[in-house]
Amino acid sequence: MSLSINAVARTQEGKGASRRLRNEGLVPAVIYGGETAPVSISFKDNELLKAVGTPGFLTGLVEVSVEGKTEQVLVKALQRHPSTGDVMHMDLQRAQADKVITTRVPLSFINAAQSEGVSKQGGRLSVESKLAEVRCLPANLPEVLTVDVIEGQLDQIFHLSDVILPEGVELVSLLKGEDHDQPIARIGKSKR
């Protein structure tokens, strides 16, 4: 399920125009990619703030509606104000149904408390990577990738190859070879 947000096309570009938009409570953005020319748009800052706080907004497909026309996009860059954290600008890439996309997806580690390494050996799961880069068609993009650590023992290290991959989804690092199978979590001694 993709999230949906409304936007308005804009014609003025540049720093001055962006500053005026932000003063009016709008956030400038651009949609690019595919066969279509880039489109400059703006979002209402309160709607965008709510959307950015929604799980999956920064890592999943987002449906942007610009004056009645909707497009599936991925958030490729998000610029925030250094002191307030407010969103200042966004770059959005079109996702075409028949074109493979590369993006980062959150990792979810399950069953840690039930693993022998945690429940009987006094260990604690320590997560080293919260995201993994994947390649797939937009329709196959998972909201989250699962890593089942139920078999985990004390001092065990989990790698990208331990991720449960849905059909049609590939891990970019593993496409580069076995030596790119990086650690993503470990069960280590608990520091209690």
Side-chain angles (χ1 to χ4, degrees):
M1 180 201 89
S2 66
L3 300 158
S4 188
I5 187 168
N6 293 317
V8 177
R10 62 185 171 96
T11 53
Q12 296 181 342
E13 296 183 26
K15 281 186 178 181
S18 293
R19 193 174 297 119
R20 282 190 295 279
L21 282 171
R22 285 190 283 273
N23 287 339
E24 295 170 16
L26 300 170
V27 177
V30 64
I31 299 175
Y32 64 88
E35 317 281 311
T36 316
V39 178
S40 296
I41 59 173
S42 62
F43 297 101
K44 290 183 180 174
D45 62 0
N46 59 343
E47 288 180 23
L48 185 59
L49 184 64
K50 183 178 169 189
V52 167
T54 306
F57 181 81
L58 298 174
T59 56
L61 288 173
V62 178
E63 192 172 85
V64 176
S65 178
V66 183
E67 296 165 6
K69 183 179 178 239
T70 61
E71 290 192 81
Q72 295 273 323
V73 299
L74 291 167
V75 176
K76 279 301 185 185
L78 184 119
Q79 180 185 354
R80 291 185 183 269
H81 190 278
S83 60
T84 65
D86 292 342
V87 177
M88 305 275 291
H89 188 274
M90 272 196 334
D91 288 349
L92 306 169
Q93 181 183 6
R94 289 183 181 96
Q96 297 169 274
D98 60 341
K99 300 271 194 267
V100 171
I101 56 173
T102 301
T103 190
R104 292 164 25 126
V105 175
L107 294 172
S108 173
F109 297 86
I110 61 169
N111 297 321
Q114 292 83 11
S115 73
E116 194 169 311
V118 173
S119 66
K120 293 187 174 94
Q121 299 170 341
R124 187 174 144 267
L125 183 72
S126 169
V127 174
E128 297 175 16
S129 289
K130 293 185 178 184
L131 297 170
E133 193 172 31
V134 298
R135 276 178 37 129
C136 61
L137 291 172
N140 295 339
L141 183 65
E143 286 184 30
V144 68
L145 291 172
T146 304
V147 183
D148 191 349
V149 297
I150 189 81
E151 302 290 326
Q153 302 291 320
L154 190 62
D155 296 327
Q156 183 170 345
I157 298 172
F158 295 91
H159 293 82
L160 279 173
S161 56
D162 295 311
V163 172
I164 300 166
L165 288 175
E167 188 156 337
V169 179
E170 300 173 300
L171 289 166
V172 173
S173 288
L174 296 183
L175 294 173
K176 297 174 186 172
E178 279 183 37
D179 54 333
H180 291 276
D181 190 9
Q182 62 202 42
I184 53 175
R186 66 184 69 227
I187 294 180
K189 282 270 187 228
S190 184
K191 296 179 174 59
R192 291 181 204 175

